[in-house]
Amino acid sequence: MARARKSVEVAKTANSQEDLLKFYRDMLLMRRFEERAGQLYGMGLIGGFCHLYIGQEAIAVGMQSIQIKGDQIITGYRDHGHMLAAGMDPREVMAELTGRSGGSSRGKGGSMHMFSIEAGFFGGHGIVGAQVSLGTGLALANQYKANGNVAFVYFGDGAANQGQVYESFNMASLWKLPVVYVVENNQYAMGTSIERSSSETHLHRRGVSFNIPGEEVDGMDVEAVREAGARAAAHARDGHGPYILEMKTYRYRGHSMSDPAKYRTKEEVDEVKKTRDPIDHLREVLDAKGWADEAAYKAIDAEVKAIVADAAEFARTSPEPDPAELYTDVYLEAAQ
Amino acid sequence: MSVDILMPALSPTMEEGTLAKWHVKVGDTVKAGDVIAEIETDKATMEVEAVDEGVIEALLVEAGTEGVKVNSLIARLSGQGGASPSAPEPTPPPKAEPRALSPSPTAQPVLADPELPEGTTFIKQTVRDALRDAMAEEMRADDRVYLMGEEVAQYQGAYKVSRDLLQEFGPRRVIDTPITEHGFAGLGVGSAMAGLKPIVEFMTWNFAMQAIDQIINSAAKTLYMSGGQIKSSIVFRGPNGAASRVGAQHSQDYSAWYANVPGLKVVAPYDAADAKGLLKAAIRDPNPVVFLEHEMMYGVEFDVPQIDDHIVPIGKAKVRRIGQHVTITAHSRMVGLALKAADLLAQEGIEAEVIDLRTLRPLDHATIVESVRKTNRLVTTEEGWGPMGVGAEIIARVVEHGFDYLDAPPMRVCQEDVPLPYAANLEALALPSVEKIVQAARAVCYVS
């Protein structure tokens, strides 16, 4: 951690009061949104699998802050945070979780399969590692169209052991595709710790044999994420090809709602919460700079709480999809 | 003592080739390993090396001769230094033996296509060139269309289907990939999601097993899972089914596999006109299309209509031969076998109606049921395995929609329920054949 923190000191001054307050608000929104999703799951309103982003908020928020219009993001199934960061309406995200007609996929995708072309969010993919090839394809399209955009491809330490990740690394580097690979290393691939699953646990080195530069980043520090993200994005945007950012992070909850997380101790989790929490950390920064007082925090709390309450209410009351929706969106009509 | 030099077979499916060039002349002394000639096949140009030592006694085929049959005598060497008198390597199996796959069918007389305008003229074209032209025409018309796959660009296509495309469209649009099916299929789908229209070539569909997750989980399902937001207009294409003596892992028919999946369209043309018209339709289609070609058909010539924009709609079967006694369904290479079987059956007084499915998903069962209402008998054919297969599905549909019209239990002709064996005799036993189709047709007509 020390290494990554150190590299970030330089850039911290670059972020304005407005930036930091927005990061704080966006991270808090994710945290409260996910807490509410967990609650709705417990009430039986959300079905299937539901993977919460709590603990990893700084990554989606920090990375989003350096993107330009037309850039794409794509991730795996732990996707709620990225959607909120991308600017999708919390209502449509929560209503998709409850499988209602007001959901972003009109209830047909669920927690793991949400999309928004408008927000540049290409999913939401349930097959571990598939988004890495798909996201590299988004980058190929950017290069093909010469549109100056970068694809940001998120995956976890678990996906990092899938073969297609390396097939994609190879082609991305070979063809100098504008892609930033963001490895969210939360240290557990479901119940298997990185030490038990990976021969090289420093995932930023996984690009070495493909000539892809990589660096380790403190993924619990939104400013560190932003600073490294900007460097990676510039590299990719300037035609130098892919870049790997290994975000050292931690998820507070189980892998999914049905995971009791017995593979790690309560002390381990508590220690991270106490010492590395991304929201607390940013609050300390804001406090130190004197950029926010109690009233400001309270106002943000109230705003976030209202948004989440509204989203939950919408997700509860939005009707289930019309039965006729069963047969829509299987095929597009061919143009005549 | 002289040694015969025979036209070598340079690929599992080669039957003839062009003797492009001699590197030796009469009187030259050659030793083993010397390049003596260049031979062009429809797939590649290859050098032929001498296997024996000796002096060239006679060159029996002129340079530039096309259509030189495999195993025909092309030169004679006067043997020296104890050279083996046997035929040079490689030694292909004698052609007289019954083979798993009968020689590629010649162009079949087909029913005039009612959709073609009056007075349409035709040119002879191979399935390979028809596919190539389809891609070239669509690439000219739409900059979003590009081709990616192994050896599609500089090598000109492992089966030469993409010949000259790199020269015309350049490396931006004709992309050589590493051997990395899972990866490039995913890249293709991702680029389609971003609005491009990729044609992803698999060197064979056997290798697409590495990529099947991206084809099904990403390409076929995402439109639905996204509530209609994310589109994948993409064609996955390549040769499907058994080639010749390439063994179980390189000889599988995936028709039933992909035709099982909602969200995919699955096309399997027989002749060159359909190959062209259906591939153009597939490229334009806004959905993911699995396009199943057949290696044994690439070199076969057919009539292709000379019209500006020859499109064959996806989802429509074609009655290839009219008959009133039994309906035979087929797709891809099996259409040729079914037509041959129909000729033989006609000699016995059984008139078979042969339906070329052309598209497996959506399946045009209306055309099949309409035929069965007339013939009251049904034989399905496919190169793949029978259980849960294309024939099983067709029979289910006919039972659902035409049960009362059936006068005999339908029969399936398909590959035996074993991995495809290598040995020539076993391979022949395992694969569907004209004879098996004839026997099945007789059986459903209760003719012994």
Side-chain angles (χ1 to χ4, degrees):
Chain A
M1 281 307 95
R3 188 162 30 138
R5 290 259 193 215
K6 201 170 146 198
S7 70
V8 165
E9 294 302 327
V10 195
K12 284 195 174 173
T13 50
N15 295 317
S16 68
Q17 179 179 14
E18 191 192 352
D19 287 335
L20 293 190
L21 284 171
K22 182 179 177 343
F23 296 164
Y24 181 84
R25 179 257 182 209
D26 289 352
M27 289 199 288
L28 197 67
L29 175 63
M30 283 179 196
R31 177 81 48 105
R32 298 287 172 260
F33 183 96
E34 292 291 64
E35 287 165 355
R36 184 60 69 96
Q39 187 190 31
L40 296 185
Y41 192 92
M43 292 161 67
L45 283 162
I46 296 174
F49 296 122
C50 185
H51 310 86
L52 302 181
Y53 198 58
I54 296 173
Q56 303 179 207
E57 296 92 344
I59 299 165
V61 170
M63 289 304 298
Q64 194 72 34
S65 74
I66 48 87
Q67 292 172 31
I68 65 170
K69 191 172 164 49
D71 286 353
Q72 305 106 332
I73 57 178
I74 188 167
T75 186
Y77 44 74
R78 196 177 305 284
D79 55 353
H80 312 161
H82 305 81
M83 290 186 277
L84 296 175
M88 285 171 69
D89 184 346
R91 278 185 164 197
E92 65 171 344
V93 178
M94 197 70 95
E96 189 60 39
L97 294 180
T98 54
R100 304 303 174 91
S101 57
S104 61
S105 297
R106 298 206 299 282
K108 301 198 308 194
S111 167
M112 301 185 286
H113 315 111
M114 288 192 234
F115 309 83
S116 170
I117 294 271
E118 204 186 352
F121 182 72
F122 282 78
H125 294 271
I127 304 299
V128 178
Q131 77 272 23
V132 181
S133 303
L134 293 169
T136 308
L138 296 172
L140 184 138
N142 291 338
Q143 185 185 65
Y144 192 96
K145 297 175 187 171
N147 60 13
N149 284 118
V150 171
F152 293 87
V153 178
Y154 295 81
F155 57 100
D157 44 298
N161 289 325
Q162 286 280 27
Q164 64 178 316
V165 170
Y166 300 95
E167 298 188 26
S168 302
F169 280 7
N170 184 42
M171 286 181 279
S173 182
L174 193 63
W175 300 334
K176 298 239 179 301
L177 299 180
V179 54
V180 174
Y181 296 110
V182 185
V183 190
E184 298 193 61
N185 180 2
N186 66 21
Q187 301 168 53
Y188 292 92
M190 200 172 147
T192 304
S193 69
I194 185 156
E195 291 78 17
R196 293 204 301 125
S197 65
S198 299
S199 53
E200 168 57 272
T201 57
H202 297 285
L203 301 178
H204 61 284
R205 294 184 192 156
R206 290 285 183 95
V208 168
S209 57
F210 305 96
N211 293 316
I212 304 177
E215 62 180 283
E216 184 183 282
V217 183
D218 180 358
M220 307 300 269
D221 178 346
V222 69
E223 292 186 278
V225 170
R226 182 184 207 192
E227 194 258 346
R231 190 163 46 243
H235 177 93
R237 218 181 292 284
D238 292 346
H240 303 302
Y243 201 97
I244 296 171
L245 296 175
E246 179 191 1
M247 303 290 183
K248 299 302 283 278
T249 186
Y250 202 81
R251 70 169 146 74
Y252 293 0
R253 299 292 184 92
H255 163 72
S256 70
M257 290 302 296
S258 50
D259 169 25
K262 295 219 165 112
Y263 41 82
R264 59 188 190 186
T265 63
K266 190 174 179 305
E267 289 71 31
E268 179 184 310
V269 181
D270 287 344
E271 177 67 16
V272 176
K273 284 184 184 176
K274 205 163 70 190
T275 61
R276 294 177 57 208
D277 184 80
I279 298 174
D280 288 351
H281 172 71
L282 182 56
R283 192 166 169 150
E284 282 164 22
V285 172
L286 284 164
D287 287 346
K289 290 178 186 287
W291 281 357
D293 58 12
E294 270 313 302
Y297 291 128
K298 273 195 175 146
I300 292 173
D301 271 348
E303 185 214 345
V304 163
K305 205 173 159 188
I307 291 170
V308 171
D310 171 70
E313 184 59 19
F314 179 78
R316 232 194 317 258
T317 54
S318 174
E320 288 190 311
D322 189 288
E325 281 282 358
L326 180 60
Y327 300 105
T328 62
D329 305 320
V330 180
Y331 293 100
L332 288 163
E333 285 290 321
Q336 291 307 306
Chain B
M1 186 170 57
S2 61
V3 177
D4 288 345
I5 298 177
L6 306 182
M7 181 74 166
L10 301 174
S11 77
T13 54
M14 174 176 165
E15 284 161 4
E16 59 179 44
T18 299
L19 204 162
K21 192 174 174 185
W22 283 110
H23 284 267
V24 292
K25 56 185 188 301
V26 173
D28 284 359
T29 300
V30 296
K31 57 182 192 302
D34 286 354
V35 174
I36 56 169
E38 271 177 33
I39 288 175
E40 277 174 23
T41 70
D42 43 21
K43 287 167 75 171
T45 301
M46 314 270 272
E47 290 178 338
V48 180
E49 294 177 359
V51 180
D52 297 294
E53 285 179 311
V55 175
I56 299 288
E57 207 173 79
L59 299 179
L60 302 164
V61 174
E62 267 185 61
T65 307
E66 292 179 10
V68 182
K69 299 283 177 208
V70 166
N71 269 0
S72 59
L73 189 60
I74 56 172
R76 191 169 285 124
L77 197 66
S78 67
Q80 286 180 355
S84 157
S86 60
E89 294 290 334
T91 311
K95 297 303 274 188
E97 263 185 36
R99 298 196 45 199
L101 295 149
S102 52
S104 299
T106 50
Q108 299 283 340
V110 296
L111 291 175
D113 206 318
E115 291 126 29
L116 292 174
E118 194 86 23
T120 299
T121 57
F122 293 85
I123 52 157
K124 290 269 183 226
Q125 195 173 36
T126 60
V127 170
R128 167 184 293 110
D129 289 345
L131 292 166
R132 194 212 86 89
D133 283 0
M135 290 192 283
E137 286 178 20
E138 293 307 301
M139 288 174 78
R140 277 173 214 136
D142 187 345
D143 182 66
R144 296 171 301 170
V145 181
Y146 76 96
L147 173 67
M148 75 177 346
E150 293 155 8
E151 311 290 8
V152 298
Q154 292 195 12
Y155 194 87
Q156 305 286 304
Y159 295 97
K160 294 289 173 279
V161 176
S162 55
R163 184 164 54 201
D164 296 336
L165 293 183
L166 174 67
Q167 283 69 10
E168 180 173 354
F169 298 102
R172 169 173 170 263
R173 300 183 66 194
V174 185
I175 303 173
D176 274 329
T177 65
I179 299 173
T180 186
E181 283 85 5
H182 195 180
F184 72 70
L187 261 70
V189 178
S191 74
M193 289 174 171
L196 300 185
K197 292 174 74 70
I199 304 166
V200 172
E201 175 175 310
F202 293 114
M203 195 179 288
T204 89
W205 275 97
N206 300 285
F207 308 154
M209 292 282 267
Q210 300 268 358
I212 196 166
D213 173 66
Q214 291 289 6
I215 298 169
I216 293 175
N217 270 319
S218 299
K221 295 179 182 172
T222 304
L223 180 71
Y224 193 82
M225 294 195 304
S226 67
Q229 289 184 78
I230 304 283
K231 304 165 179 68
S232 301
S233 178
I234 183 168
V235 176
F236 302 101
R237 51 155 290 271
N240 175 58
S244 183
R245 307 281 316 276
V246 292
Q249 290 179 334
H250 284 67
S251 311
Q252 190 170 333
D253 174 9
Y254 291 91
S255 300
W257 289 54
Y258 292 106
N260 188 238
V261 182
L264 293 180
K265 293 186 178 181
V266 182
V267 178
Y270 164 62
D271 69 11
D274 281 357
K276 183 176 184 185
L278 283 164
L279 184 53
K280 282 165 68 74
I283 293 166
R284 289 187 200 180
D285 201 282
N287 300 287
V289 180
V290 164
F291 198 91
L292 304 170
E293 299 159 10
H294 203 295
E295 186 187 335
M296 302 293 284
M297 299 301 297
Y298 280 149
V300 185
E301 278 191 345
F302 292 93
D303 287 334
V304 174
Q306 281 281 75
I307 50 177
D308 276 352
D309 196 18
H310 174 59
I311 293 273
V312 175
I314 292 174
K316 285 195 180 158
K318 178 175 185 173
V319 178
R320 290 263 177 195
R321 179 189 176 115
I322 293 172
Q324 71 272 28
H325 296 132
V326 56
T327 300
I328 302 175
T329 64
H331 63 281
S332 188
R333 180 174 166 274
M334 293 305 296
V335 174
L337 274 64
L339 289 169
K340 276 201 179 135
D343 285 343
L344 294 175
L345 289 163
Q347 292 167 18
E348 303 172 12
I350 297 174
E351 290 298 333
E353 182 145 301
V354 176
I355 297 178
D356 178 355
L357 302 172
R358 303 203 288 192
T359 300
L360 301 171
R361 178 183 265 272
L363 182 68
D364 178 8
H365 67 246
T367 297
I368 303 167
V369 171
E370 192 186 316
S371 173
V372 171
R373 285 184 178 184
K374 176 175 67 176
T375 64
N376 312 116
R377 294 157 205 283
L378 173 65
V379 171
T380 67
T381 70
E382 67 191 294
E383 218 176 84
W385 295 303
M388 315 297 158
V390 174
E393 176 65 22
I394 288 171
I395 291 168
R397 303 255 192 129
V398 168
V399 167
E400 267 176 68
H401 300 284
F403 180 74
D404 291 338
Y405 293 90
L406 283 170
D407 284 350
M411 284 188 75
R412 284 174 285 179
V413 176
C414 47
Q415 190 191 141
E416 295 301 315
D417 205 12
V418 295
L420 198 67
Y422 168 71
N425 64 329
L426 296 181
E427 188 184 57
L429 286 170
L431 284 170
S433 62
V434 172
E435 185 51 33
K436 287 178 185 177
I437 300 169
V438 168
Q439 281 173 10
R442 282 189 196 129
V444 299
C445 291
Y446 300 124
V447 174
S448 53

